[in-house]
Amino acid sequence: MQEMTPYELLGGAGVVRWLTDRFYDIMESDPSVKPLRDMHPADLAASREKLYMFLSGWLGGPQLFIEKFGHPRLRMRHMPFAVDSEARDMWMKCMNQAVNELLCEDWLKAKLLEAFYNTADFMRNQQE
């Protein structure tokens, strides 16, 4: 029996889209993460779409980002931005809240948050 992917366990495209939108909604509305919001364009439509496409494949679903843009090269794509521990923590604050609002098992939330943290930490490109 094949193990289900996180994408399947979450419920597929609709839930991944919800998670993406909720993440950005939190980022836009929480004044404590304003420096993170300021790293993004005024119109978040493209950012929302790219994160959705990335998360689809990253969670084990369709590789939408790769099909359209090629390999994610996350660190390279984030090099124009000063990503330090503070930026990582603000990003994680938004994602933590979004993940914790998902309707899924606690073990899956914990697995997702660990993977998100590891990825966000890898994005750091500033010495502290």
Side-chain angles (χ1 to χ4, degrees):
M1 184 169 161
Q2 188 174 354
E3 190 174 318
M4 292 178 71
T5 66
Y7 181 88
E8 293 167 324
L9 291 168
L10 287 170
V15 177
V16 175
R17 175 70 71 186
W18 181 90
L19 179 63
T20 302
D21 287 338
R22 186 66 185 125
F23 168 82
Y24 280 109
D25 291 347
I26 294 163
M27 189 176 72
E28 283 192 292
S29 65
D30 184 343
S32 75
V33 298
K34 185 178 182 327
L36 176 67
R37 174 60 182 95
D38 291 346
M39 289 183 190
H40 292 76
D43 182 352
L44 289 172
S47 298
R48 286 175 187 262
E49 189 61 19
K50 284 181 180 177
L51 182 60
Y52 164 74
M53 293 169 68
F54 171 76
L55 290 180
S56 174
W58 187 74
L59 292 167
Q63 296 290 328
L64 304 174
F65 189 95
I66 291 172
E67 291 168 10
K68 186 165 185 175
F69 301 107
H71 189 282
R73 293 182 182 89
L74 290 179
R75 285 208 72 190
M76 181 194 77
R77 292 181 195 270
H78 288 81
M79 278 300 169
F81 309 99
V83 181
D84 57 12
S85 295
E86 185 179 6
R88 175 204 59 207
D89 293 347
M90 285 185 280
W91 194 93
M92 280 305 303
K93 180 178 182 182
C94 299
M95 189 55 78
N96 188 61
Q97 183 177 336
V99 166
N100 280 313
E101 292 176 13
L102 286 169
L103 300 176
C104 66
E105 300 289 333
D106 287 344
W107 67 265
L108 180 55
K109 290 178 186 181
K111 182 177 176 179
L112 289 173
L113 289 172
E114 178 182 9
F116 278 129
Y117 179 85
N118 290 337
T119 302
D121 192 54
F122 180 69
M123 293 301 103
R124 288 184 304 128
N125 57 30
Q126 300 293 304
Q127 296 296 326
E128 329 257 332

